[in-house]
Amino acid sequence: MKFSNVMSNAGEWLRGEGPHHQIVVSSRVRLARNLRNRAFPGWAKKAERTSILELIKPHLEKLPEMQDSFSELLQDLSALEKQVLVERHLISREHAAKSAGSAVIMNRRQTLSIMINEEDHLRMQSMRSGLQLKQAFKLLDKIDTALENELEFAYDQRLGYLTACPTNVGTGMRASAMLHLPGLVLSELINQVVQAVSKIGLAVRGLYGEGTEAMGNLFQISNQTTLGEKEDEIIARLTKVIETIIEKEHDARQVLIQKKSNTLWDQIGRAYGVLTYAHAMSSKEALNLLSIIKLGIDLNVFPEEKRLPIDELFIDTQPAHLQKTSQQKLNAEERDHLRAQIIRARLKVLPKPDISNLAKDSGDGSSPASSEQ
Amino acid sequence: MQKVNLCDACSKEKGVQDPTGFALADLLLGIGAAEEIEKGSSTQRCPVCGFTQADFKKAGRLGCSTCYATFTEALTALLKAMHKGTAHVGKVPQRAHRAGELSDRMRNLNESLQKAVAEENYETAASLRDQIKQLESDLAP
């Protein structure tokens, strides 16, 4: 499979179809594994990294889940192509900085991606739409079991799977969900939620993981610890916390509708106006405004069938995607113009906000709120 | 950034003396990491990959899987501060599962053998020795 195929197919996890998809954009689980008695990628010399890569790669390509896969050495991808994969969360930012001795392999549906020689010899990642952490783990567990018959993984009876960074030792598992929480942000409750979540040993991060800013009201929540708790316990605990946050987000939206409806309509109207008429837009501004439109779709202010084109804009307006689509390298100013142009074109299909339809947060079947009309 | 509220006793246990003087390793790896690293002899090298504690301090990552055994002393406190527990309770690879069972059986056989020899029960001892030999050849790669 070629890179152009990756580019033309949006990842299946993007097509919001999973449970709670209005609020949980995606679920992902990753497992870190290493070969026994071989230097970790950060410490191995280039020749050793290459030999590890050559040892691992054929086993991955043989997996039934990886039939018709995209498999590429990092040195054979351009900086722009790597960035496209980062923007789709198929490789990490750290992996994008790698070259000789590293590789990525992913399935056609872009629901499974494996990085070779990232921080660990193997970083296997499974992605799903909506809240489906358990299902994402199940697939990885199966692949991991198939691979352990072929490769000898570094494992210790007491410490579990051994990883380059001690923060991942034990299960080597990081489960995370990307949540869209405009209600909690608009009602200024988000900091409380973030603090409460941090207190119970879970981490909250921005759009692209560790150390990144929260843009577009998108937050990643994940387990912080990997030792001393079983995989399914970690996932059950995380899922429960996410379900609580989903409830809080629905509550916040109801309160906004009932008590601060003017502010809410103002936000939606402004987002619609700026996105429809602006001629220059940074990716941060685009994400923040698109987030409000997405909220508007959840609240029936915009028709439901426009959800997918709006969701796709979240990815299509990212810097590398813009440049890859236009097939030229653009400076920041040119990108901002092109971004505004693409958004204007896409928003032509979106009717004006209609607050008479409004009114209920259709996500959780909770009682409909009274409208202002 | 994780905020931790510690009482006097806990802060000593975790190695916090000067709350303003946190080392980078502390920030990266949890409170007490820098001190734990200092304590270990910095000349110690991992026999498999040649990694030292100084390298760990610099990179915040280990050299290879054997480093966990090499620097076990320094890592124990660090892992304790970092994680929910100190022992893995999750998935066990089939291979390790089998190896674990075999090593348990080996230990039992050796204990029985010593007992049989002590009791001068030579017939049992001979049979046990055969079983151990068989198991040793199973365990050999």
Side-chain angles (χ1 to χ4, degrees):
Chain A
M1 188 167 115
K2 287 191 201 133
F3 192 85
S4 54
N5 291 103
V6 177
M7 202 51 207
S8 57
N9 291 322
E12 204 172 274
W13 59 271
L14 255 175
R15 306 185 168 269
E17 278 156 1
H20 301 290
H21 69 264
Q22 289 191 356
I23 290 171
V24 186
V25 176
S26 63
S27 295
R28 59 189 64 234
V29 177
R30 74 114 164 98
L31 287 179
R33 295 289 185 259
N34 288 283
L35 302 182
R36 214 165 81 87
N37 287 341
R38 302 294 292 262
F40 294 138
W43 184 245
K45 299 269 185 299
K46 192 169 149 187
E48 186 168 12
R49 284 204 310 273
T50 308
S51 95
I52 290 167
L53 169 70
E54 281 164 4
L55 178 67
I56 293 176
K57 202 159 159 264
H59 293 294
L60 302 184
E61 288 167 345
K62 259 191 346 214
L63 289 167
E65 291 82 2
M66 284 298 188
Q67 292 318 305
D68 192 24
S69 61
F70 172 78
S71 174
E72 203 66 81
L73 300 173
L74 266 280
Q75 76 239 38
D76 294 338
L77 287 169
S78 72
L80 198 57
E81 288 168 336
K82 290 179 191 174
Q83 198 51 40
V84 165
L85 298 180
V86 171
E87 289 173 359
R88 292 195 179 193
H89 299 267
L90 289 165
I91 65 172
S92 63
R93 290 192 301 173
E94 190 178 350
H95 204 52
K98 299 275 163 82
S99 182
S102 293
V104 59
I105 165 164
M106 67 184 89
N107 65 351
R108 173 175 274 274
R109 295 155 63 204
Q110 299 174 34
T111 51
L112 178 68
S113 99
I114 305 182
M115 292 178 268
I116 305 176
N117 286 335
E118 199 237 31
E119 181 181 297
D120 295 295
H121 295 143
L122 275 168
R123 285 276 177 110
M124 308 182 270
Q125 187 184 222
S126 156
M127 291 134 298
R128 294 271 183 146
S129 154
L131 184 57
Q132 302 194 66
L133 290 169
K134 215 169 144 182
Q135 292 81 345
F137 174 68
K138 209 172 148 194
L139 173 67
L140 278 190
D141 187 35
K142 186 176 159 222
I143 287 169
D144 176 55
T145 303
L147 287 175
E148 77 182 25
N149 291 322
E150 323 254 347
L151 301 163
E152 195 174 354
F153 290 149
Y155 178 86
D156 177 82
Q157 302 273 13
R158 190 171 59 87
L159 291 176
Y161 291 96
L162 303 174
T163 51
C165 185
T167 51
N168 297 317
V169 82
T171 60
M173 184 188 80
R174 188 85 59 215
S176 72
M178 177 88 71
L179 307 184
H180 182 233
L181 304 174
L184 289 168
V185 173
L186 286 175
S187 45
E188 293 173 7
L189 291 167
I190 192 71
N191 285 338
Q192 280 180 27
V193 172
V194 169
Q195 276 171 23
V197 168
S198 315
K199 266 186 201 153
I200 49 176
L202 300 175
V204 186
R205 303 197 168 103
L207 186 53
Y208 291 105
E210 218 158 332
T212 61
E213 200 184 345
M215 289 186 286
N217 301 316
L218 292 166
F219 298 85
Q220 262 186 54
I221 161 164
S222 63
N223 61 308
Q224 184 95 280
T225 61
T226 51
L227 186 63
E229 206 177 357
K230 285 184 185 161
E231 289 86 352
D232 51 4
E233 288 169 359
I234 296 174
I235 284 173
R237 193 159 66 91
L238 189 59
T239 303
K240 216 170 149 191
V241 171
I242 291 167
E243 282 166 352
T244 310
I245 298 177
I246 294 171
E247 240 171 76
K248 297 261 180 253
E249 171 67 19
H250 282 302
D251 290 350
R253 291 178 183 189
Q254 289 305 323
V255 171
L256 285 171
I257 290 169
Q258 283 164 14
K259 303 210 168 122
K260 288 191 168 176
S261 54
N262 284 336
T263 314
L264 191 56
W265 310 145
D266 183 56
Q267 293 277 342
I268 294 175
R270 279 167 186 274
Y272 181 81
V274 174
L275 289 169
T276 311
Y277 294 108
H279 279 254
M281 190 168 295
S282 71
S283 81
K284 184 179 170 178
E285 186 183 14
L287 284 177
N288 288 336
L289 296 174
L290 286 168
S291 157
I292 300 299
I293 300 293
K294 191 172 160 67
L295 173 66
I297 297 172
D298 292 350
L299 299 180
N300 299 329
V301 173
F302 299 108
E304 174 66 30
E305 68 265 21
K306 304 298 179 213
R307 183 180 294 280
L308 187 60
I310 296 298
D311 278 352
E312 281 174 349
L313 276 175
F314 275 80
I315 297 283
D316 293 345
T317 57
Q318 293 292 300
H321 274 78
L322 278 183
Q323 295 178 73
K324 194 73 195 165
T325 312
S326 72
Q327 304 204 322
Q328 52 184 321
K329 193 146 175 57
L330 306 167
N331 65 33
E333 204 186 326
E334 291 165 333
R335 286 204 301 271
D336 289 355
H337 283 294
L338 179 61
R339 182 177 295 115
Q341 191 190 326
I342 290 174
I343 293 173
R344 284 200 314 275
R346 192 85 57 97
L347 255 65
K348 275 191 185 142
V349 301
L350 193 69
K352 284 181 188 165
D354 179 0
I355 59 175
S356 64
N357 280 334
L358 148 106
K360 68 179 169 106
D361 180 357
S362 55
D364 62 349
S366 64
S367 59
S370 60
S371 121
E372 288 271 292
Q373 305 300 306
Chain B
M1 190 71 191
Q2 203 182 346
K3 192 175 157 192
V4 189
N5 294 312
L6 297 171
C7 73
D8 244 357
C10 293
S11 69
K12 281 200 186 92
E13 191 197 325
K14 290 191 182 282
V16 182
Q17 269 108 29
D18 173 9
T20 56
F22 284 159
L24 180 65
D26 283 340
L27 283 173
L28 286 171
L29 305 167
I31 290 159
E35 202 197 336
E36 281 304 319
I37 292 165
E38 288 296 338
K39 267 199 250 161
S41 69
S42 53
T43 52
Q44 200 179 359
R45 268 181 188 281
C46 175
V48 170
C49 70
F51 204 74
T52 66
Q53 298 223 12
D55 292 321
F56 180 56
K57 201 172 172 181
K58 212 162 65 189
R61 306 282 185 274
L62 292 160
C64 73
S65 50
T66 310
C67 289
Y68 280 92
T70 313
F71 307 114
T72 179
E73 213 174 308
L75 284 170
T76 304
L78 209 151
L79 290 171
K80 195 177 159 191
M82 205 178 263
H83 289 287
K84 221 178 163 90
T86 53
H88 178 60
V89 291
K91 184 174 182 177
V92 177
Q94 291 289 314
R95 202 190 294 251
H97 184 64
R98 193 169 150 264
E101 278 180 350
L102 289 179
S103 76
D104 283 351
R105 223 175 103 208
M106 182 70 99
R107 201 173 48 236
N108 288 338
L109 285 173
N110 274 315
E111 279 166 12
S112 307
L113 175 64
Q114 278 173 15
K115 203 173 150 211
V117 171
E119 288 168 358
E120 299 185 3
N121 194 346
Y122 296 116
E123 209 171 307
T124 311
S127 141
L128 286 166
R129 207 166 287 136
D130 289 345
Q131 288 182 48
I132 289 171
K133 253 189 206 144
Q134 178 61 44
L135 194 55
E136 270 171 350
S137 71
D138 285 353
L139 275 172

